[in-house]
Amino acid sequence: QVQLVESGGGWVQPGGSLRLSCAASGFTVSFYVMRWYRQAPGKERELVASIISTGGDTNYADSVKGRFTMSRDNAKNTVYLQMNSLKPEDTAVYYCNVVVGVGYWGKGTLVTVSS
């Protein structure tokens, strides 16, 4: 049974940092493309970052490039999103996603950036 559990969200001031985690079970993260999405209030869900299976290359939305880093720990079967220089516009619920035949989503973790 595929499960994704996000954690690490919270409140942070502009310019601060957070690290999100997505613990996976029921499949091996290194075999699949893993993605982080976010959904801000009143907006559509958007792709933030992805990491491919072979080689672990990453891709980022232009809005987070240079500030966010996605990584993977194969031993823990977990992916991470390190978020630095956070801005108020980064406020959103962040979701982990994988397609294993069908798409699976975690329940999300809320990130609030405000002073």
Side-chain angles (χ1 to χ4, degrees), residues 35-47:
R35 297 177 177 90
W36 282 100
Y37 284 78
R38 68 184 180 187
Q39 187 165 20
K43 295 189 176 181
E44 293 188 354
R45 196 170 294 190
E46 64 171 344
L47 178 63

Side-chain angles (χ1 to χ4, degrees), residues 59-81:
N59 286 286
Y60 302 93
D62 287 343
S63 57
V64 307
K65 205 169 290 184
R67 300 188 298 121
F68 289 11
T69 302
M70 186 173 182
S71 61
R72 184 177 65 206
D73 186 331
N74 294 340
K76 295 183 178 180
N77 211 38
T78 298
V79 296
Y80 302 94
L81 187 67

Side-chain angles (χ1 to χ4, degrees), residues 43-102:
K43 295 189 176 181
E44 293 188 354
R45 196 170 294 190
E46 64 171 344
L47 178 63
V48 175
S50 60
I51 186 167
I52 66 172
S53 53
T54 304
D57 286 350
T58 52
N59 286 286
Y60 302 93
D62 287 343
S63 57
V64 307
K65 205 169 290 184
R67 300 188 298 121
F68 289 11
T69 302
M70 186 173 182
S71 61
R72 184 177 65 206
D73 186 331
N74 294 340
K76 295 183 178 180
N77 211 38
T78 298
V79 296
Y80 302 94
L81 187 67
Q82 177 67 44
M83 306 186 297
N84 299 329
S85 303
L86 283 160
K87 305 175 180 179
E89 50 264 43
D90 295 319
T91 295
V93 178
Y94 285 72
Y95 298 92
C96 189
N97 166 267
V98 68
V99 177
V100 182
V102 297

